[in-house]
Amino acid sequence: MSVESSVSPMTTVTGPPSTMAEKEDELTPMLSQYLELCGAHTDALVLFQVGDFYEAFCEAAKGVARVCEVTLTQREDSTGTYPMAGIPIDNASSYLERLVAADYRVAIADQVEDAAEATGLVDRAVTRVITPGTVVEEELLAAGTTNYVASVVEGQQGVFGIAAVDVSTGECFVTSVPEAADVAEELDRVAPSELLVAPETPTVSPADAEAGWMETEIDAALFDREAAVDCLSAYVDPDRRLSTDAERRACGAVLAYAEYTQGDDGPLDYVSRIRRYDQQNHLRLDAAALRSLELFENRGLGAGDTLFDVIDESASALGRRCLTRWLRRPLVDREAIEGRLDAVEALADASVVRTELQDQLATAYDLERLVGRVSRGRANARDLRSLQSTLSVVPELVEKLAGIDALDPYRERLDPLEGVAELIDSAIVDEPPTELTEGGLVKPSFDDDLDDLRTTEREGRQWVAELEAAERERTGIDSLSVGHNQVHGYYIEVTNPNLDAVPDDYTRRQTLKNAERFYTPELKERENEIFGAAERADSLEYELFCEVRTAVAAETERIQSLATAIAELDAVCSLSTVASEGDYIRPEFHAEAADNGIAIEGGRHPVVETTQDSFVPNDADLLAGEVAIITGPNMSGKSTYMRQVALSCLLAQIGSFVPAEAARLPVLDRIFTRVGASDDIAGGQSTFMREMSELTEILHDATDDSLVLLDEVGRGTSTADGLAIAQATTEFIHDELGAMTLFATHYHGLTALADEREGIVNLHFAATREGDEVTFLHRVAPGASSASYGIEVARMAGVPETVVDRARSVVESAPPVADSGGNPTETTSNAASNTSQPPTKSNTETETTEDSSTPTDTPSEQASAVDDDRASYPGEEQEPDTRDSDDRSSYPEEEFFDGTPDPAVDEPLDEESMVRVAVALRALDVASMTPLEALNTLDELRSELRG
């Protein structure tokens, strides 16, 4: 089955225009040709070459005019009037970029024969189909980026095959994932621009809808084993290189689609390295980790630098693309990691050599994309000179690396391809034109016949140049001139007053207003020689150029291998530059698997430290399987601390030095993050549901070799439920998973778990307060925090003073309550009114390393109290109140909230209501509540007391 008949159905803009289809038998030959091409490419908007423009007609023309902001005109003939819009061929890239960005597939129908030689209608054919995932035009691709089209196939026993190809570079890879949930994760890591789907393909939604992919529906028959293997066999032995039918079907389908979009009848020769990889051979990062660690995209307000921005000191597009791959798939093979670290260390210590290497690498062109164009037969002469220029740098790179043992693996792969370099240098002129058929491409010395033709042309032009002086002397006409134009060729021009002196051998060629133009037999003969030699030379040059290009294409695999070596060398130079200039150190890895903790001294966040005037380093000491519960004020640095620990581990596993004074690390299999709060409206998920979905993946997939970051788990629901979820999660990770975990929370009650379980520890971030001013020290210390300073943070954020003052008054007037863990909380916003800790002489409070109060109940007892209390909530049968309604001796008079006696004290209060209110108060996390939430909660509790 052909791909053309298997892609997405047509729309009003794509497919045959209905107004033309109704008059198919009456259309002019050109419009019939357009209609036929539209019918063959129903998924695409067809741009049809007419002279120097690409034209679209009917509804497609309206789409082009709207998206490209060009004038909508019309074409009239005997069959009717048709809307028409066009874009100039010489400047098509900018318009094509707009169309692709608007999610159109664009079929380019070029003239495939010379209009001067055509008899009748010039033949046209679709030479390529441009889609988001198959763009190859240099102008439409950002330098140093990847651009994949991917496919997914469900195989036997629920195993899925995933394949992707970058059509611009020829990179192709395939893998298998064991479960449907892993498909989206792997695709998020691949980040394709386009995903091929069939009616039976499982629905796969990107975790990030804004950065998602375009779906292209194709017929399921393209995923059939027989069709896929038939296509794949032209590239590799599918049974030896790929392990499952799902992989073969996915890879065959995506390659068939790539061939279709490039207008090729056969395989893409430059897709010569189909690589299969196993997920287990890389540190796995799901979409949540990629997003929350801000590896490639910063989602904050005024989005700034990312980790990639910090480590990208690459000199070439090749190195930039390599760094991206390394960061998306860090290593888990310790030997491979140490090999990269050796290379980084060697170059970090050799700053002069590193600088010289980077200067030379900066002159390297993007070999991967260059060889892709060469192999497809679309490279021009400038592309070949760019290739030769890059090859000329290789011997210098080899020389610079000599003697540096750690870089031998890179030096040995730097193939200079002397034959290719010499061929291009001897054949192609130093500064060739972009056009291939107008001459000036090939050096005359490259071919004897070409040299003879160019000599004839040159000598003829020289004879013409000398003709003017000779004819002036022969005729005595001082104003006589010799010229040339494209229509009439060479001529001798004589002004009207001198026509009487024209010799008899002059033949009139053209009459002007004030002069006549002539030619002589000798001039005519020379003209024929010059034009004939030039035309034959131009034609021969094109033939010779194509031969050279074909010879270069035959070395595609060697050029691609060289490109990989240059890319990795550039990436290593980049990491060594960052290590040297950023004061990074080489991490060590544990020799024994049992000793698998994280020990970092003076660790820093690689991104944050570049954006701040100063940064407070912190240690991290996390034993294997240990859970650290981190408490402290908002804005104190808890999230930054957790991220910097994860980023140091990740950097180490791509072979990079890390921002710290010392680091002894494990080799992790995965990094999980549950950080930040956001909803997914399009996906139908609330903030809490998304939080629970991310938590679910962690609790199912984390192992004792994983690092887990949790930030405020359980905050999206009621305090009682949230605390219960947070406690159960902590216990499960500690008891069942054994994953190293950093858990930042405002549920201070969780800190009591450290007393119950040996592998749970408390950390906190300290702050000082003087009056209304809070200073965050950004320093981590052992023990639990005693306050969150929520009201102070609200004031610092710019919340109106009226709201801040009211919030303080609510807290100050409320009776002492317990936090979510049953600990007495600070009920005032200044030290003077805090009775739990007397103020110092300087009226300054400082966080201590231990909690300021001892919990009255363990978290388990608190949860039990909440659960037991639910049996007495309204709506269920309760014991009747048998107390004397006038007996209030056990309930002292109290003032509630606004300072006035509560009328509820005049009514009897049953003991069950008091218990329910007490339990609810104990479960409250006042520090995390907004003022409005606090007021509403207090009102609900007072209503509960009133019955």
Side-chain angles (χ1 to χ4, degrees), residues 405-588:
D405 294 343
L407 295 171
D408 280 348
Y410 302 91
R411 181 176 57 82
E412 292 168 357
R413 293 156 55 206
L414 291 173
D415 181 359
L417 286 101
E418 294 95 338
V420 173
E422 291 173 2
L423 173 62
I424 297 173
D425 193 42
S426 63
I428 308 300
V429 299
D430 293 342
E431 296 184 2
T434 56
E435 292 296 329
L436 299 181
T437 58
E438 297 179 3
L441 305 173
V442 179
K443 295 178 179 179
S445 59
F446 180 70
D447 181 83
D448 291 341
D449 290 339
L450 177 63
D451 194 17
D452 290 342
L453 290 170
R454 290 305 183 196
T455 299
T456 300
E457 179 188 4
R458 184 174 60 256
E459 290 177 350
R461 295 185 188 280
Q462 181 63 33
W463 182 88
V464 171
E466 296 172 354
L467 179 63
E468 183 175 296
E471 287 301 299
R472 282 184 179 182
E473 182 178 353
R474 181 167 79 93
T475 63
I477 304 172
D478 293 338
S479 61
L480 179 147
S481 63
V482 176
H484 171 270
N485 64 36
Q486 295 293 332
V487 177
H488 296 98
Y490 288 103
Y491 56 82
I492 300 171
E493 184 173 296
V494 178
T495 57
N496 289 342
N498 297 300
L499 291 179
D500 292 342
V502 170
D504 293 337
D505 61 344
Y506 277 26
T507 302
R508 182 176 285 103
R509 167 159 276 179
Q510 185 182 10
T511 300
L512 303 179
K513 181 179 180 180
N514 299 315
E516 293 281 348
R517 289 176 175 175
F518 305 87
Y519 67 89
T520 66
E522 294 84 1
L523 179 59
K524 183 65 175 177
E525 182 179 352
R526 288 288 187 171
E527 178 183 79
N528 291 337
E529 289 180 2
I530 293 169
F531 287 168
E535 185 176 343
R536 292 194 302 275
D538 290 350
S539 179
L540 180 58
E541 276 196 33
Y542 179 70
E543 292 176 10
L544 293 171
F545 169 80
C546 290
E547 290 175 5
V548 171
R549 187 170 61 185
T550 300
V552 173
E555 301 294 343
T556 292
E557 288 193 48
R558 289 179 63 191
I559 297 172
Q560 288 177 327
S561 296
L562 171 63
T564 301
I566 291 176
E568 293 180 3
L569 177 61
D570 193 6
V572 167
C573 283
S574 178
L575 295 179
S576 63
T577 298
V578 173
S580 178
E581 297 180 355
D583 195 23
Y584 288 16
I585 56 92
R586 176 170 180 160
E588 298 179 15

Side-chain angles (χ1 to χ4, degrees), residues 2 228 351 366 485 504:
S2 66
S351 59
D366 193 339
N485 64 36
D504 293 337

Side-chain angles (χ1 to χ4, degrees), residues 96-111:
L96 292 174
E97 184 176 16
R98 295 188 190 184
L99 290 170
V100 172
D103 285 343
Y104 284 116
R105 298 171 184 83
V106 183
I108 302 296
D110 285 309
Q111 294 178 355

Side-chain angles (χ1 to χ4, degrees), residues 20 77 226 235 239 263 301 333 385 466 562 573 610 662 768 927:
M20 286 188 181
D77 61 27
E226 183 177 348
Y235 296 87
D239 294 323
L301 294 175
D333 183 333
R385 286 306 306 191
E466 296 172 354
L562 171 63
C573 283
T610 65
T768 62

Side-chain angles (χ1 to χ4, degrees), residues 646-887:
L647 291 177
S648 288
C649 293
L650 189 153
L651 283 173
Q653 288 187 224
I654 70 170
S656 170
F657 282 26
V658 300
E661 295 175 3
R664 191 170 179 81
L665 304 171
V667 176
L668 301 174
D669 64 352
R670 293 193 66 165
I671 296 177
F672 293 93
T673 63
R674 159 76 288 282
V675 179
S678 62
D679 55 22
D680 180 8
I681 300 301
Q685 289 190 329
S686 66
T687 299
F688 182 65
M689 176 58 78
R690 185 162 184 171
E691 175 185 328
M692 291 299 101
S693 296
E694 293 177 359
L695 180 61
T696 298
E697 293 183 16
I698 295 172
L699 299 184
H700 277 293
D701 297 338
T703 72
D704 56 2
D705 288 324
S706 302
L707 173 63
V708 176
L709 309 185
L710 299 176
D711 194 355
E712 304 300 351
V713 167
R715 292 292 301 278
T717 185
S718 69
T719 304
D721 287 352
L723 172 62
I725 292 171
Q727 177 180 331
T729 296
T730 306
E731 294 171 349
F732 182 82
I733 291 175
H734 176 273
D735 299 345
E736 303 293 334
L737 299 181
M740 289 176 289
T741 304
L742 299 173
F743 189 170
T745 183
H746 282 290
Y747 289 133
H748 290 257
L750 290 180
T751 59
L753 288 172
D755 298 327
E756 295 183 4
R757 287 170 168 78
E758 183 178 351
I760 298 180
V761 297
N762 288 323
L763 301 174
H764 79 280
F765 275 79
T768 62
R769 181 171 61 193
E770 185 171 356
D772 291 340
E773 297 297 324
V774 175
T775 301
F776 301 116
L777 302 181
H778 303 295
R779 178 76 67 183
V780 70
S785 174
S786 62
S788 294
Y789 302 104
I791 294 176
E792 286 74 10
V793 172
R795 183 184 60 78
M796 293 169 62
V799 172
E801 286 296 329
T802 303
V803 176
V804 173
D805 292 342
R806 175 56 180 155
R808 284 203 183 99
S809 68
V810 171
V811 173
E812 292 169 357
S813 62
V817 296
D819 70 3
S820 57
N823 305 313
T825 64
E826 185 179 20
T827 59
T828 63
S829 58
N830 59 71
S833 60
N834 182 6
T835 58
S836 63
Q837 295 183 7
T840 64
K841 292 181 181 180
S842 62
N843 196 32
T844 300
E845 287 189 1
T846 304
E847 290 282 356
T848 61
T849 59
E850 299 295 336
D851 200 347
S852 60
S853 59
T854 303
T856 57
D857 297 324
T858 67
S860 300
E861 292 168 338
Q862 296 163 19
S864 299
V866 172
D867 290 340
D868 293 342
D869 182 59
R870 287 174 181 163
S872 303
Y873 273 72
E876 300 186 12
E877 291 186 9
Q878 303 178 23
E879 292 288 337
D881 190 353
T882 58
R883 290 175 294 143
D884 185 348
S885 61
D886 293 328
D887 183 11

